[in-house]
Amino acid sequence: MHFERAGKMENFTASASSVHPLVRTHPRTGEDALYLSGNFIDRVDGMGRDESRPLVDALIAHATSPIYTYRHRWRAGDLVMWDNAATMHYAVFDYAAGMARTMHRTTAAGDAPFRAR
């Protein structure tokens, strides 16, 4: 898969694979959430790639529909945090080339994704 932005393309190889649920249970709240990424999912377990693609595309379209989307308009001094166990995020490159930006990313250790039955 590829993650693209103007002037750069990163190639993510299949050097490591993992299987995780499409719906995960939040380890603290017990709420269920979709757990997928169009950039990284290869196929649904038990289905072939061609068979999986329409399902994955439909789930991503649902999860990213405007009623479930928050778009942050950055201003100097902003701090944004989200819960990766329940939120999908996508970086939008909507700033001028050469514009200085600083990002500090911190990822707290967490539980492996699971689906409560």
Side-chain angles (χ1 to χ4, degrees):
M1 291 287 179
H2 292 92
F3 182 76
E4 300 177 43
R5 70 179 160 106
K8 182 170 182 160
M9 179 183 289
E10 298 178 54
N11 186 11
F12 294 94
T13 63
S15 60
S17 65
S18 62
V19 177
H20 64 75
L22 286 174
V23 176
R24 71 170 292 175
T25 302
H26 193 284
R28 304 279 187 276
T29 68
E31 298 279 330
D32 288 336
L34 288 174
Y35 188 65
L36 65 150
S37 167
N39 288 330
F40 298 101
I41 192 167
D42 180 53
R43 64 182 177 80
V44 175
D45 197 27
M47 299 171 74
R49 285 184 182 143
D50 292 341
E51 187 181 14
S52 298
R53 195 79 253 157
L55 174 59
V56 170
D57 289 346
L59 290 171
I60 290 171
H62 173 76
T64 59
S65 67
I67 63 171
Y68 301 122
T69 303
Y70 168 75
R71 171 74 188 267
H72 189 78
R73 305 273 181 209
W74 291 96
R75 294 181 312 227
D78 281 358
L79 171 68
V80 176
M81 298 171 63
W82 59 85
D83 181 348
N84 271 348
T87 307
M88 297 168 68
H89 62 277
Y90 177 77
V92 177
F93 301 104
D94 59 354
Y95 48 91
M99 182 177 177
R101 287 178 39 130
T102 303
M103 180 184 88
H104 299 280
R105 178 180 178 155
T106 301
T107 304
D111 301 316
F114 68 92
R115 172 83 166 120
R117 300 278 172 186

